[in-house]
Amino acid sequence: MEKTAFEKKYYVERFGTNCVKWDGMKTAYGELDLIPLWVADMDFRCPDSVVEAVQKAVNNGAFGYYETPDSYYDAFIAWEKEHRGYEVKREWLVYTPGVVSGLFAMVNACTEPGDTCLTLNPVYPPFFAAVRESGRKLVTSMMNDDHGAYTVDYADFEKKIVENDVKMYIHCSPHNPVGRVWTREELVTLLEICRKHGVLVVSDEIHQDIIMPGQTQIPTATVGDYSDMLVTMTAPSKTFNLAGCQTSFAIIPSDEIRAKFQKVFGSVHLGNGSSFGAIACEAAYTGGAEWLEGCIETIWNNYCYLRDTLAKELPAAVVSPLQGTYLSWVDLKDVFGSGNTAEYTQKRARLAVNIGDGFYGDGENKSHIRINLATSSDLIVEAVDRLIRVAKEVAAE
Ligand SMILES: Cc1ncc(COP(=O)(O)O)c(C=O)c1O
């Protein structure tokens, strides 16, 4: 596969830097000698604007308390307007260290212990944790899976709300792990069901900028006036590979919801985060647009290679169409059977991928893997090759 100019310039060796994706394989998988295609960050250096801005701060050498400037908020607001068509007001924004901490805080702020919260199934596992670990009850609505193309089962979604007196729905847009970019019609249908039953919606849009060619990401908050019942969580971390910088945004138009949310964070005196996070975030939103274009091209190249090669060499593998995120969702049920995926992918193919069961609220379904595409084309080629080789070996045994 041809390398993109972006990959040639930005691919970076991360092993030995205490990064979770490479060095953390020892903790997560018990061994280091695997191709790391799991946790969602990238093997690419951040945009030059970020590196330069952080370097400038480092050169100053004094790392005291930081007063987050207006320009930091302005950079985010301008990005949302230009790239997402969402007009965000400064007073709606609340700093959170991460989107997940924001989700936990929102569950605690806007529901009571014992209340029920709803998610789709499968979905990013910390959604389940935010509900369960906060002493709330989790209910999930299984999506329709049409040979890897996922849609919401609205009848089930509404039934779950009514039967369980659901107070909050946690949405993922684009959807991790199935890679959906939701249409306007889908978003409106979900929101109208929630409105009808008085359900608060928290939309995690952390992957909002990783959108594949031909797709349009519509911020949930822009499909109608849902400001009294909708909160958006997002961040520069997935977009620009800044997850270690711990800087995210909660966008909360409702004064009432925002006050409840701030009370939770205020109760532990959370503050405004680190100076490096704020500096990196501002520099990414002001100078990272071109970098992002190259990054998406590289992810798309990797995805097309994976999809096309598996279609040819391993047609029993079902690759979900990638509309957004850099995470490819692949069903290997007809390749390795149910329950063997972890064994074959790690022990035989030597891949560190996320195994599907974690993405299901009930822990069932061990036949999927989630592959992180934000790495070099060489590693994707090697990983696909290994998967095909092991599948052929297993079929012949
Ligand atoms: C949907 C989704 N939300 C949140 C996160 C993590 O957010 P943070 O690191 O800001 O807590 C991820 C990371 O993979 C994610 O995929």
Side-chain angles (χ1 to χ4, degrees), residues 40 97-101 103 124 127 172 174 176 204 206-207 235 237-238 243 246 248 327 370:
V99 163
V100 172
S101 50
L103 291 176
Y124 176 61
F127 283 22
C172 196
N176 171 10
D204 174 341
I206 195 168
H207 294 276
S237 49
K238 299 294 151 193
Q246 301 278 292
S248 306
L327 308 163
R370 195 193 71 172

Side-chain angles (χ1 to χ4, degrees), residues 278-306:
I279 289 165
C281 171
E282 181 179 339
Y285 283 128
T286 48
E290 203 181 315
W291 178 98
L292 180 61
E293 275 176 29
C295 183
I296 289 173
E297 189 193 346
T298 302
I299 292 161
W300 182 244
N301 270 5
N302 285 346
Y303 169 71
C304 291
Y305 177 83
L306 174 116

Side-chain angles (χ1 to χ4, degrees), residues 54-356:
V54 172
Q55 230 147 28
K56 192 170 159 214
V58 168
N59 290 344
N60 176 264
F63 308 135
Y65 292 119
Y66 187 71
E67 185 174 57
T68 311
D70 287 342
S71 54
Y72 158 87
Y73 295 101
D74 293 346
F76 174 66
I77 289 167
W79 179 274
E80 288 299 297
K81 188 170 177 199
E82 188 185 339
H83 295 266
R84 304 271 68 86
Y86 182 17
E87 302 224 18
V88 175
K89 293 207 167 67
R90 164 70 187 90
E91 60 270 25
W92 297 350
L93 296 176
V94 183
Y95 164 82
T96 69
V99 163
V100 172
S101 50
L103 291 176
F104 271 75
M106 195 55 77
V107 169
N108 280 279
C110 293
T111 64
E112 297 296 327
D115 279 354
T116 303
C117 302
L118 175 68
T119 71
L120 295 179
N121 204 356
V123 83
Y124 176 61
F127 283 22
F128 309 139
V131 176
R132 287 180 171 141
E133 290 173 24
S134 303
R136 274 64 171 171
K137 198 176 136 216
L138 175 72
V139 170
T140 64
S141 178
M142 192 66 81
M143 278 188 276
N144 302 312
D145 172 7
D146 179 11
H147 205 68
Y150 286 80
T151 48
V152 177
D153 178 344
Y154 297 116
D156 181 72
F157 184 84
E158 185 162 14
K159 187 164 160 263
K160 292 282 163 56
I161 289 177
V162 173
E163 283 180 352
N164 298 283
D165 190 20
V166 164
K167 301 289 189 232
M168 178 183 283
Y169 164 55
I170 309 177
H171 185 60
C172 196
S173 176
H175 188 93
N176 171 10
V178 307
R180 277 298 318 277
V181 166
W182 305 107
T183 63
R184 182 178 300 275
E185 195 189 353
E186 286 174 310
L187 292 170
V188 169
T189 307
L190 283 171
L191 286 163
E192 285 301 318
I193 294 172
C194 289
R195 171 176 275 165
K196 185 169 150 198
H197 299 289
V199 176
L200 181 69
V201 178
V202 182
S203 187
D204 174 341
E205 308 201 353
I206 195 168
H207 294 276
Q208 64 172 7
D209 300 307
I210 313 289
I211 303 303
M212 295 302 114
Q215 301 295 324
T216 305
Q217 163 72 0
I218 303 168
T220 309
T222 63
V223 300
D225 184 7
Y226 297 98
S227 52
D228 58 333
M229 54 167 277
L230 174 66
V231 164
T232 305
M233 303 278 178
T234 194
S237 49
K238 299 294 151 193
T239 310
F240 301 109
N241 204 22
L242 302 178
C245 293
Q246 301 278 292
T247 299
S248 306
F249 295 95
I251 310 173
I252 313 177
S254 155
D255 293 341
E256 196 188 324
I257 299 172
R258 196 167 57 253
K260 287 185 187 168
F261 184 74
Q262 280 170 320
K263 201 167 162 204
V264 170
F265 273 149
S267 68
V268 290
H269 193 69
L270 191 74
N272 284 327
S274 105
S275 52
F276 292 112
I279 289 165
C281 171
E282 181 179 339
Y285 283 128
T286 48
E290 203 181 315
W291 178 98
L292 180 61
E293 275 176 29
C295 183
I296 289 173
E297 189 193 346
T298 302
I299 292 161
W300 182 244
N301 270 5
N302 285 346
Y303 169 71
C304 291
Y305 177 83
L306 174 116
R307 179 196 60 192
D308 298 346
T309 311
L310 290 182
K312 202 161 136 230
E313 303 287 336
L314 195 59
V318 179
V319 180
S320 287
L322 187 72
Q323 299 180 336
T325 81
Y326 50 80
L327 308 163
S328 180
W329 185 240
V330 183
D331 191 354
L332 297 174
K333 185 166 68 266
D334 296 334
V335 177
F336 296 136
S338 292
N340 298 320
T341 313
E343 173 71 14
Y344 288 131
T345 52
Q346 181 176 340
K347 295 297 170 202
R348 301 270 296 261
R350 312 295 301 153
L351 305 177
V353 290
N354 293 96
I355 303 299

